[in-house]
């Protein structure tokens, strides 16, 4: 399926602040992260773990992480940011040639075939990022002046009032229904997260619209990387993910060698690592790609691969998998924190399963 062999995510599609609050990574931690756009494993380094194992079933995502790390380690910050696509540049393919000897074979081979994406800047080359650019064009055509106004607010109360009086319109909601429809997602976006395991009664347009509207009550649009991606087709200058901010990129560069890349199915990988391998698990919204029984298998594998007291963070997007009864004594959830993160996450469409994995000897007693 092309979704699992071509670049799907390339910039940053999840709020790094949430992951930090959920996981509380610290020195000595052995973290596991889904690779995605490469941002999540890179950001975990900011809290000084001993290691980060970055896993993704899609070799394109693993290759992207390798390229980002190689560019970060080889280039001064401004050149690294321009090479990725944050700033204009005309010499990206030449830079790729210079980076090539330092790239692992899989990444060198992948980007030899993807020179056009490198030339344009890999930051916005993902399927999702290209989709956002299309959505932004539709938005501009339908409501260009209002979108410009929205991103001009620098006072949250004023933004809130304007959202209520001007932004929130019935016809605009209907646009979201159309843009999020299962049919369009199947035909255009082709990301199974939008249709494969979503309950037929789940109202996707309303869910996304309401999440966005609530988020506009909590954060200025101009300080929301996700809203900027969706409505402007680019990351917000005032809310850049840390790996694209000079001082944080320097910290990540110094610790980059702690990341190990793994291209594998997460469930199979976790079933095969030694027990108690990880103290922190950042699992993204992988449940979006799993049916209920594979989700249960994932949880059992997490329980086995997690060290006693390990913290986990799982995002739920459109699927609503529950932790099955037999595993409820294993995962100690933190509902107050989950609710805070749901409300505050600037990627605005996630619910959370967050907490610790109970040591195996006390599971039976607590179940
Ligand atoms: C869960 S998706 C969600 C994207 C997310 N919003 C982000 O920012 O990356 C992230 C990654 O999970 C990967 N993925 C999905 N199912 C997987 C699985 N069973 N094993 C390993 N990786 C998987 C996809 O290839 C994708 O790159």
């Amino acid at each position: 399926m092309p979704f699992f062999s071509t670049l799907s995510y390339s910039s940053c599609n999840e709020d790094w602040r949430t992951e930090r609050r959920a996981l509380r990574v610290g020195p000595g931690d052995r973290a596991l992260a889904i690779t995605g756009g490469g941002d999540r494993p890179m950001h975990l380094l900011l809290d000084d773990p001993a290691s980060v194992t970055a896993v993704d079933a899609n070799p394109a995502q693993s290759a992207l992480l390798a390229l980002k790390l190689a560019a970060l380690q080889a280039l001064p910050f401004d050149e690294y940011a321009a090479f990725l696509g944050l700033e204009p540049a005309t010499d990206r393919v030449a830079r790729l040639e210079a980076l090539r000897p330092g790239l692992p074979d899989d990444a060198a081979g992948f980007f030899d075939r993807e020179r056009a994406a490198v030339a344009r800047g890999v930051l916005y080359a993902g399927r999702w990022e290209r989709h956002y650019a299309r959505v932004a064009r539709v938005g501009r055509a339908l409501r260009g002046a209002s979108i410009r106004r929205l991103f001009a607010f620098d006072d949250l109360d004023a933004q809130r009032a304007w959202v209520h009086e001007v932004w929130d319109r019935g016809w605009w909601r209907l646009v979201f229904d159309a843009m999020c429809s299962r049919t369009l997602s199947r035909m255009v976006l082709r990301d199974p997260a939008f249709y494969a395991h979503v309950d037929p009664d789940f109202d996707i347009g309303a869910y996304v619209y309401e999440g966005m509207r609530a988020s506009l009550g909590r954060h200025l649009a101009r300080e929301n990387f996700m809203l900027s991606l969706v409505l402007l087709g680019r990351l917000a200058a005032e809310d850049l993910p840390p790996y694209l901010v000079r001082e944080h990129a320097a910290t990540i560069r110094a610790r980059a060698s702690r990341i190990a890349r793994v291209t594998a199915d997460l469930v199979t990988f976790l079933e095969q690592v030694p027990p108690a391998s990880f103290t922190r698990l950042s699992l993204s919204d992988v449940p979006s790609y799993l049916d209920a029984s594979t989700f249960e298998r994932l949880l059992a594998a997490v329980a086995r691969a997690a060290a006693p007291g390990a913290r986990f963070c799982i995002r739920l997007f459109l699927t609503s998998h529950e932790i099955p009864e037999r595993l409820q004594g294993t995962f100690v959830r933190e509902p107050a924190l989950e609710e805070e993160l749901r409300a505050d996450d600037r990627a605005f469409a996630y619910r959370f399963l967050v907490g610790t994995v109970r040591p195996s000897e006390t599971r039976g007693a607590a179940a």
Side-chain angles (χ1 to χ4, degrees), residues 44-175:
L44 292 184
L45 289 178
L46 293 171
D47 291 314
D48 205 19
S51 62
V52 177
T53 302
V55 182
D56 206 295
N58 182 346
Q61 303 302 146
S62 289
L64 179 65
L65 172 59
L67 184 68
K68 287 184 175 177
L69 290 173
L72 176 63
Q73 289 172 292
L75 302 174
F77 178 79
D78 291 328
E79 291 173 27
Y80 150 79
F83 172 71
L84 293 186
L86 189 64
E87 305 294 340
T90 52
D91 59 352
R92 294 194 183 107
V93 174
R95 289 235 181 263
L96 175 66
E97 279 308 316
L99 291 172
R100 208 179 175 289
L103 285 176
D105 288 348
D106 65 299
F110 180 79
F111 285 107
D112 281 346
R113 298 188 297 277
E114 293 292 338
R115 278 164 188 260
V118 172
R120 287 195 304 274
V122 289
L123 195 58
Y124 296 113
R127 175 186 303 261
W128 271 96
E129 282 71 12
R130 287 180 287 121
H131 184 63
Y132 293 141
R134 281 193 293 268
V135 171
R137 279 197 294 278
V138 172
R140 253 197 318 279
L142 293 175
R143 282 197 109 171
S146 293
I147 291 172
R148 279 195 298 282
R149 180 71 192 103
L150 180 64
F151 282 89
F153 280 104
D154 56 11
D155 177 280
L156 190 56
D157 285 334
Q159 176 180 291
R160 270 194 207 113
W162 182 85
V163 164
H164 180 65
E165 286 156 22
V166 180
W167 178 259
D168 189 17
R169 287 281 169 275
W171 70 268
W172 186 232
R173 284 174 181 253
L174 293 178
V175 171

Side-chain angles (χ1 to χ4, degrees), residues 23 247 301:
L23 292 172
E247 60 181 296

Side-chain angles (χ1 to χ4, degrees), residues 142-366:
L142 293 175
R143 282 197 109 171
S146 293
I147 291 172
R148 279 195 298 282
R149 180 71 192 103
L150 180 64
F151 282 89
F153 280 104
D154 56 11
D155 177 280
L156 190 56
D157 285 334
Q159 176 180 291
R160 270 194 207 113
W162 182 85
V163 164
H164 180 65
E165 286 156 22
V166 180
W167 178 259
D168 189 17
R169 287 281 169 275
W171 70 268
W172 186 232
R173 284 174 181 253
L174 293 178
V175 171
F176 274 71
D177 283 343
M179 297 294 280
C180 295
S181 81
R182 288 164 173 77
T183 315
L184 199 74
S185 301
R186 247 180 226 280
M187 287 168 53
V188 179
L189 189 57
R190 284 181 276 164
D191 179 343
F194 252 84
Y195 49 83
H197 306 291
V198 185
D199 188 324
D201 297 331
F202 195 95
D203 188 340
I204 302 176
Y207 177 74
V208 173
Y209 186 89
E210 276 311 319
M212 183 181 283
R213 201 172 61 89
S215 175
L216 285 170
R218 292 182 81 93
H219 303 288
L220 286 171
R222 64 195 297 165
E223 294 175 357
N224 186 331
F225 75 102
M226 193 70 208
L227 205 67
S228 180
L229 264 181
V230 175
L231 293 176
L232 301 177
R234 59 175 186 275
L235 294 166
E238 292 176 45
D239 193 35
L240 287 175
Y243 82 100
L244 297 173
V245 175
R246 186 183 305 271
E247 60 181 296
H248 302 308
T251 305
I252 295 168
R253 177 188 292 126
R255 298 172 181 166
S257 62
R258 299 183 201 175
I259 295 185
R261 295 178 312 129
V262 176
T263 302
D265 168 59
L266 175 69
V267 181
T268 314
F269 176 73
L270 287 174
E271 285 172 346
Q272 290 171 357
V273 294
S277 286
F278 301 108
T279 60
R280 298 289 184 270
L281 297 105
S282 170
L283 299 175
S284 184
D285 68 321
V286 162
S288 297
Y289 303 88
L290 308 178
D291 60 27
S293 74
T294 315
F295 178 64
E296 186 167 343
R297 224 183 101 202
L298 168 68
L299 292 179
V302 167
R304 185 188 154 279
R311 293 191 67 77
F312 64 92
C313 178
I314 299 176
R315 288 167 185 260
L316 297 174
F317 177 40
L318 304 177
T319 48
S320 303
H321 295 314
E322 306 276 353
I323 297 182
E325 215 173 302
R326 76 172 179 95
L327 290 169
Q328 281 178 7
T330 301
F331 292 89
V332 185
R333 289 176 58 187
E334 297 170 11
L337 178 60
E338 289 175 356
E339 194 44 38
E340 262 177 50
L341 297 176
R342 188 199 60 75
D344 217 27
D345 192 278
R346 287 180 218 202
F348 62 75
Y350 293 108
R351 290 151 292 146
F352 290 89
L353 303 176
V354 169
T356 52
V357 181
R358 202 188 291 275
S360 49
E361 60 280 10
T362 62
R363 283 174 196 168

